[in-house]
Amino acid sequence: MEEVLLRVEHLKKAFGEHVIFKDFNLQVRRGEVVVVIGPSGCGKSTLLRCLNGLEPIQGGKILLDGEPVLREEASIAKMRQKIGMVFQSYELFPHKTILENILLAPIKVQKRSRTEAEAEAMALLQRVGLAERKNDYPRQLSGGQKQRIAIVRALCMHPEILLLDEITAALDPEMVREVLEVVLSLARAGSTMVIVTHEMNFARAIADRILFIEHGEVVEESSDPKAFFREPATARARAFLHSFDYA
């Protein structure tokens, strides 16, 4: 059995009196793609933000390679280098070129040489079909292109696990496919990923395991995504999937 890379044990998370997770548990094996789906407000994005220390937690443990992800500790900067995150809003610096956006963290945070980091960045840009746009600024790119750049930026940090938060939510429908194709290629190459998405066809195609959550709890979990989408075991999951039009 593959090594467990990420462990979430008895996670507790609340915003004031509003409890998101009371006792949430999760294991992600190295090389596994876990897709988290569920209705709006169920805690999907909050989960990802807890996993990389962007949100404080009120209890439980989050362990990567057996080491705790602690938001308050000085070690969080080192841990975040192992946990890549791609947001739906791209988070690119508008005043920097595409190449400068990608190189900023490898050079400033990881202290890598510009020559080595730039060679890797260009190889990744070539992989996603955007090498010729390296000197452009974010405003010159489409939404799909900016999202592909955000993925390249995360990959340049050599993360052990990649968190993807509704990365197609802000895109026009015709731009969605180009981004999803990049993520599918990462999955085929063995990347470890936790993906939050509302694209059900994509979830079915890419997932090794599906988590359907609601009210901060796992309602249904399946290591057979095709069976889950064909005939979910719970009435709640059936009702949720019924609201989507997917083939």
Side-chain angles (χ1 to χ4, degrees):
M1 180 171 292
E2 298 93 339
E3 169 195 2
V4 173
L5 176 62
L6 177 73
R7 294 180 187 271
V8 180
E9 301 177 351
H10 309 296
L11 175 65
K12 295 177 174 59
K13 170 63 186 174
F15 293 105
E17 298 298 315
H18 181 46
V19 176
I20 307 298
F21 299 111
K22 291 187 290 187
D23 186 16
F24 188 86
N25 298 277
L26 173 66
Q27 292 187 0
V28 180
R29 295 182 294 275
R30 193 177 296 276
E32 186 180 28
V33 178
V34 176
V35 175
V36 183
I37 64 173
S40 297
C42 70
K44 303 185 300 292
S45 294
T46 299
L47 174 63
L48 295 191
R49 293 177 65 83
C50 290
L51 294 183
N52 76 343
L54 284 173
E55 288 287 349
I57 63 175
Q58 283 73 52
K61 296 179 181 178
I62 299 173
L63 306 169
L64 182 71
D65 265 342
E67 297 183 31
V69 178
L70 300 174
R71 183 175 181 268
E72 296 81 5
E73 299 292 331
S75 62
I76 188 61
K78 180 180 178 182
M79 292 301 293
R80 282 192 185 137
Q81 293 179 47
K82 300 180 181 182
I83 307 172
M85 183 144 179
V86 182
F87 303 87
Q88 62 176 284
S89 55
Y90 324 127
E91 302 292 338
L92 298 175
F93 293 107
H95 62 289
K96 292 185 179 294
T97 66
I98 297 311
L99 187 59
E100 289 170 340
N101 264 281
I102 296 168
L103 295 180
L104 186 62
I107 292 174
K108 296 294 186 182
V109 178
Q110 295 182 329
K111 309 300 182 186
R112 290 158 60 188
S113 74
R114 182 179 180 92
T115 300
E116 182 260 332
E118 186 167 338
E120 181 178 12
M122 290 307 301
L124 287 167
L125 284 172
Q126 188 72 41
R127 180 176 173 182
V128 302
L130 291 172
E132 76 283 357
R133 309 302 297 271
K134 67 176 184 177
N135 294 320
D136 289 348
Y137 289 86
R139 66 178 180 274
Q140 297 173 275
L141 271 60
S142 70
Q145 290 169 330
K146 283 187 279 192
Q147 197 58 281
R148 281 184 280 164
I149 295 302
I151 293 171
V152 166
R153 181 181 58 184
L155 292 176
C156 244
M157 294 294 285
H158 301 163
E160 293 191 35
I161 187 168
L162 195 59
L163 312 178
L164 306 175
D165 185 16
E166 294 282 18
I167 59 171
T168 61
L171 302 181
D172 293 333
E174 62 267 25
M175 297 177 185
V176 169
R177 178 173 292 276
E178 64 188 48
V179 175
L180 299 187
E181 286 176 351
V182 171
V183 181
L184 279 166
S185 73
L186 296 176
R188 295 186 188 110
S191 295
T192 309
M193 293 185 279
V194 180
I195 301 173
V196 165
T197 186
H198 66 282
E199 296 281 345
M200 295 298 108
N201 281 322
F202 172 59
R204 180 170 57 179
I206 198 171
D208 295 313
R209 182 155 48 105
I210 293 283
L211 289 185
F212 172 60
I213 69 173
E214 187 172 38
H215 305 308
E217 298 181 350
V218 177
V219 176
E220 185 168 340
E221 178 176 356
S222 177
S223 56
D224 188 346
K226 290 181 174 59
F228 170 82
F229 284 101
R230 185 174 61 249
E231 190 174 356
T234 63
R236 182 63 189 97
R238 288 194 294 272
F240 175 77
L241 293 177
H242 186 70
S243 66
F244 290 88
D245 178 20
Y246 64 93

